[in-house]
Amino acid sequence: MLRPAAALACALALVGCSSLSNMMPWSGPSRPKPAELGPNVPVLGVRQAWTAQIGDTQGLALDARVIGNTVVLASASGEVAAIDARTGGDVWRARLGVPLASGVGSDGRWSAVGAKSSEIIVLEGGREIWRKHLPAQAYTAPLVAGERIFVLAADRSVSAFDAATGRMLWRQQRPGEPLILRQGGVLMAVGDTLVAGLSGRLVGFNPDNGSVRWEAPLASPRGTNDVERLVEIVGRTSRVGDSVCARAYQASVGCIDAARGSVAWTQAASGGEGIDGDEQMLFGTEGNGTVLAWKRADGSRAWSSNRLQWRKLTAPLLLGRSVVVGDDTGLVHLLSREDASPLNRLATDGSPIAAAPVAVGDTLVVVTRKGGVYGFRPE
């Protein structure tokens, strides 16, 4: 049985494919002027509880992994740290000595990360225990579950390794379009099925041998060139039981039934970051900074807001009555889940928020491109 991991994404030559940076349609000198924010009126009282440092995260597909009261992070230069979200202090910290490509996957005992040298590096309790070469770089944080390490590489191969020894258990190679995003994708456990995002599909694998159980398409390649035909499933996702909802880059959002491998619905959407939600609603950010809400049951639009238009936004975090997103000026916005009205605005170090915010116990944790780690709590 695959045990789910604990809960609370320019061209580089790769093996058989190329990677495309996650560029929004308005990136560059012609970017429209961001919407004015106006004064901050804190409807929800939130205070900064602590700060920490992980090191610069520029060029890293950062993914903050939550394990109990701990958040596990990495820097672009190869520093990996487990930080106690109650205090902001280190549980452990390791320096791997090589630049990293992916965020960290962890189950609390083992932690794994993808290096730019096309290696997977595994630690136990902050101590490196093995490295293995991969067929390509891995931008998606490895999944650590069932005493195994699962890796989605940029050549669209999925591999499984024994967590303790590094012995490769199986590898499956899937065909796809020649371009891939240099961004974290989807690799998760749903019951006893390993679910991976491959091109525009969610694919369910038997974790014991890598055989395919089902495929559920959320988007199909379109267009006349490789860039136009690029479709990838991007993290984060929203899972409620067997319902898994995800985004296909600049194409759609949708939900599947992971027990049957069937598509429940899809809706056109033009964002490049993942989504979050609960049993009733899903939330996402579009490429132009619009924040959207959909009804989980059928994908119908609940509301949209342009309050943060033309700000480069992270994937959202649904936290109580708030939808939390970060922007590229280092601000963290708390919006009402009911209508996106502003509830509070939090400042960091002025550099872009590097990954989707996470909740660790009663602490909201955000990470910046300069490597600042911030813990916020309600007052």
Side-chain angles (χ1 to χ4, degrees), residues 5 19 42 67 78 86 91 116 138 168 170 175 199-200 211 224-225 227 264 280 308 352:
S19 85
I67 307 293
R86 295 168 295 190
V91 177
K116 287 189 175 181
M168 192 174 75
W170 54 262
S199 295
S211 62
T224 59
N225 58 54
V227 174
Q280 287 80 39
L308 304 179

Side-chain angles (χ1 to χ4, degrees), residues 233-305:
I233 307 297
V234 296
R236 69 181 25 159
T237 62
S238 172
R239 178 193 170 193
V240 177
D242 291 326
S243 171
V244 177
C245 303
R247 181 189 292 276
Y249 179 80
Q250 300 290 2
S252 65
V253 296
C255 293
I256 71 160
D257 183 333
R260 299 183 297 176
S262 59
V263 177
W265 57 264
T266 63
Q267 293 284 0
S270 59
E273 302 290 340
I275 60 177
D276 199 15
D278 60 11
E279 295 88 345
Q280 287 80 39
M281 302 288 289
L282 296 170
F283 304 91
T285 59
E286 299 295 89
N288 64 359
T290 299
V291 183
L292 293 176
W294 302 269
K295 295 180 181 179
R296 191 186 193 102
D298 58 9
S300 59
R301 180 81 59 85
W303 52 254
S304 70
S305 171

Side-chain angles (χ1 to χ4, degrees), residues 313-328:
L313 302 178
T314 66
L317 167 70
L318 178 59
L319 183 61
R321 60 184 285 200
S322 303
V323 178
V324 186
V325 296
D327 71 17
D328 63 349

